[in-house]
Amino acid sequence: GLPAELSFTDGADARGLALGLALARRLGWRVFFTGPGGPMVQRLRAALSAAIAAQEASGVARETVMTALASFGIGVAARAVLPKLTAEGKAVLDACLGAIANQGARLLSEGVARRPAEVDAVAVAAGLFPRWQGGPMFWADRRGLLVLRSDLRHRAEAAPQIYTPATIFDALIAEGRNFAALDRAKV
């Protein structure tokens, strides 16, 4: 079903939350609970849109951006044949995925998302991230947080509002942990 985010604060009315949950489930929606500062999917989409705009502003053709995203499975049907990723496309893809992962990290830092798996689930359920790629936080772990943070810092020189690394990167790297470790710790 479609993703629905139910935002709540400490001390929220349990009856109101239950009513919202029941309605969403009756409509066939997949419900995600978020803290104040959401909705997560809008912020993740905005990060991707900003990254795409930054790529185009730096002279990358829209077709190159769309082909790079399609090579990863973004914006294509599940059974589609994915285009081959070029060297230029890899740089574009890293910029776009890095922006989404960084926004996911900000959602975690701000308490909007309680766990990295929630960010991944929302991104996949909304069609923002292909299911077979696991979600932006899973991707960040695969890329390596040290490598990703370094790439984000480099990109932040040109677009700080998009790429300045979320503070959670420093904490996780200092502790030798990753986003999957946060999921395990909160189970």
Side-chain angles (χ1 to χ4, degrees):
L2 294 172
E5 294 183 45
L6 206 56
S7 184
F8 66 94
T9 58
D10 289 339
D13 177 43
R15 283 182 17 171
L17 285 173
L19 183 61
L21 178 61
L23 174 63
R25 284 186 175 161
R26 186 160 180 89
L27 293 171
W29 294 347
R30 210 168 149 202
V31 178
F32 299 95
F33 290 96
T34 63
M40 288 190 282
V41 72
Q42 285 182 345
R43 290 185 56 186
L44 294 170
R45 281 188 198 285
L48 176 59
S49 294
I52 291 169
Q55 290 297 304
E56 290 177 345
S58 71
V60 178
R62 176 166 279 261
E63 182 179 332
T64 302
V65 174
M66 295 301 116
T67 301
L69 293 172
S71 75
F72 189 75
I74 295 176
V76 298
R79 298 179 192 274
V81 175
L82 303 181
K84 191 170 182 101
L85 187 61
T86 64
E88 181 184 22
K90 169 118 175 53
V92 169
L93 183 61
D94 285 346
C96 292
L97 297 180
I100 298 169
N102 195 38
Q103 187 59 244
R106 288 177 181 162
L107 292 167
L108 290 163
S109 295
E110 296 168 14
V112 177
R114 295 175 296 171
R115 298 175 33 226
E118 292 173 351
V119 175
D120 287 342
V122 165
V124 168
L128 183 60
F129 220 85
R131 182 176 310 279
W132 63 90
Q133 297 289 5
M137 310 324 293
F138 180 78
W139 174 85
D141 280 350
R142 278 192 331 212
R143 177 119 195 257
L145 299 189
L146 198 58
V147 171
L148 178 56
R149 182 184 66 179
S150 175
D151 186 44
L152 290 170
R153 284 179 174 166
H154 174 73
R155 293 177 190 285
E157 294 171 11
Q161 69 284 6
I162 303 169
Y163 296 111
T164 299
T167 56
I168 196 170
F169 284 108
D170 293 335
L172 289 173
I173 291 167
E175 297 167 5
R177 297 171 50 181
N178 60 13
F179 290 112
L182 290 181
D183 281 327
R184 288 189 299 273
K186 294 186 178 187
V187 173

